[in-house]
Amino acid sequence: MKKTILLAMALATVSSASAQGSVTGAGASFPFPLYSKMFAEYKGDTGVTVNYQSVGSGAGQKQITERTVDFAGSDNPMSDEAMKAAPGKLLHVPTAIGAVVPSYNLPGVTTPLKFTGKVLADIYLGKIKTWNDKAITALNPGVSIPPLPITVARRSDGSGTTFVFSDYLSKVSTEWKSKVGTGNSLNWPVGTGARGNDGVAGVVKSTPGAIGYVELVYAKQNKLPFG
């Protein structure tokens, strides 16, 4: 699952703030590792400080609409209606492309597991409850998968990563589309909620049997296997 990261910018505000030596932003946790590096390099080159708070795409969209930040990071674009309702003109600027992966914690399993979209949808619907379910073992012949219960980790905040993941599940599972659908915030059938990609990765890392959807860098930084 790939997605383009966007900045929603209030252009006049950004010009004024940068002239004063600082710019303030908030939003998606998905690109935060990249933004941290970019903004540090930018300060070294220009002396301008960019303060970015990783609070989720939904919160970022809210803050840019309320004009409490100069720019917002979001994994999904704001709707035309939301753009029109904003007190000033907003502009979407693509900044990066990243991947959403299903990351998991299965002690003793060293072979990367394979999933299908339907299997992922059924896990997040609560229909597949254990790791040795035949739907998973059939996709991974020769892999010894323990009979651990599956702990589903998902976002508790308004999240563009959730939007992308749920949009994918809606495309591969008619049941998911009809029962849950696509959005930044969802009425989840099952799962343990956590804030941000880092929060979901933390739940997976600390919980044997857990699975969660995260941006690829978070899986790698936490040394978590991913499907």
Side-chain angles (χ1 to χ4, degrees):
M1 290 160 276
K2 296 181 178 179
K3 63 179 177 179
T4 302
I5 313 305
L6 302 169
L7 292 184
M9 305 177 70
L11 296 182
T13 309
V14 171
S15 299
S16 174
S18 60
Q20 298 173 21
S22 66
V23 178
T24 302
S29 63
F30 184 99
F32 183 59
L34 173 64
Y35 286 175
S36 297
K37 179 66 174 176
M38 290 170 61
F39 297 153
E41 294 284 342
Y42 185 70
K43 182 177 181 179
D45 289 344
T46 67
V48 176
T49 299
V50 181
N51 297 307
Y52 182 82
Q53 298 297 313
S54 174
V55 293
S57 297
Q61 292 183 16
K62 183 174 186 292
Q63 289 187 44
I64 190 66
T65 301
E66 294 175 347
R67 287 188 162 183
T68 57
V69 293
D70 301 312
F71 71 94
S74 179
D75 308 335
N76 63 292
M78 295 175 66
S79 66
D80 291 342
E81 292 74 16
M83 297 275 281
K84 290 177 182 177
K89 184 176 182 180
L90 298 177
L91 176 66
H92 284 127
V93 180
T95 60
I97 293 177
V100 181
V101 297
S103 185
Y104 56 89
N105 181 345
L106 275 179
V109 177
T110 57
T111 302
L113 296 183
K114 296 178 181 179
F115 301 93
T116 62
K118 184 179 186 306
V119 164
L120 288 174
D122 285 348
I123 289 173
Y124 273 81
L125 285 167
K127 297 175 66 176
I128 297 178
K129 301 179 184 296
T130 60
W131 279 102
N132 64 339
D133 187 285
K134 62 181 181 180
I136 298 176
T137 58
L139 296 172
N140 298 276
V143 181
S144 180
I145 302 176
L148 280 174
I150 297 175
T151 298
V152 172
R154 43 80 173 175
R155 294 286 288 274
S156 61
D157 53 329
S159 161
T161 307
T162 295
F163 182 93
V164 172
F165 185 63
S166 60
D167 183 59
Y168 168 72
L169 295 184
S170 291
K171 287 180 170 65
V172 297
S173 169
T174 55
E175 185 176 4
W176 178 273
K177 184 176 181 179
S178 64
K179 291 183 176 180
V180 185
T182 301
N184 285 29
S185 298
L186 302 171
N187 184 17
W188 294 95
V190 294
T192 298
R195 294 186 65 84
N197 274 269
D198 51 339
V200 172
V203 171
V204 175
K205 187 173 184 177
S206 64
T207 312
I211 186 171
Y213 57 95
V214 295
E215 200 280 325
L216 179 58
V217 168
Y218 287 89
K220 290 188 172 183
Q221 286 181 339
N222 287 279
K223 298 181 180 178
L224 294 170
F226 53 91

